[in-house]
Amino acid sequence: MNQERRAQWLRGVLDLCVLAMLARRESYGYELSQALEAAGLGPVKGGTLYPVLLRLQRAGLIAADWREGEAGPARKYYRITGPGHDVLRQATADWGRFAGGVGAILREVPAR
């Protein structure tokens, strides 16, 4: 996959993907990064993920707290808030319409 295109796509959907993952269960940064990669988004480095988490937290869409690690250092766990769930529901509907439009356009590409 073209890495520049992947990076552009990721910038556009990473907030939504993080909210969706946190709607499933609370998590910490490294675990989120691993889950995003496992979902097929490719590697998501901390320098990309942590600014998104901070932005979502400042917007009140997620909350965070530090917890002692069982076998290591403390971790900052993130969870989605009520307003985060509201934004996620609306963004999910918006994404469905947008992706459907893109899909319709791409299905019209003639085979060569």
Side-chain angles (χ1 to χ4, degrees), residues 24-80:
R24 296 177 189 164
R25 67 183 182 92
E26 62 185 14
S27 188
Y28 54 93
Y30 179 74
E31 186 177 57
L32 281 168
S33 176
Q34 295 300 109
L36 291 164
E37 184 170 1
L41 298 183
V44 179
K45 297 186 178 186
T48 299
L49 179 60
Y50 287 104
V52 168
L53 290 168
L54 183 59
R55 187 169 54 253
L56 292 172
Q57 189 176 1
R58 286 182 175 162
L61 304 179
I62 64 173
D65 61 275
W66 286 95
R67 297 186 194 157
E68 289 299 320
E70 292 178 19
R75 292 179 175 153
K76 193 172 189 179
Y77 278 80
Y78 299 90
R79 66 188 171 284
I80 193 167

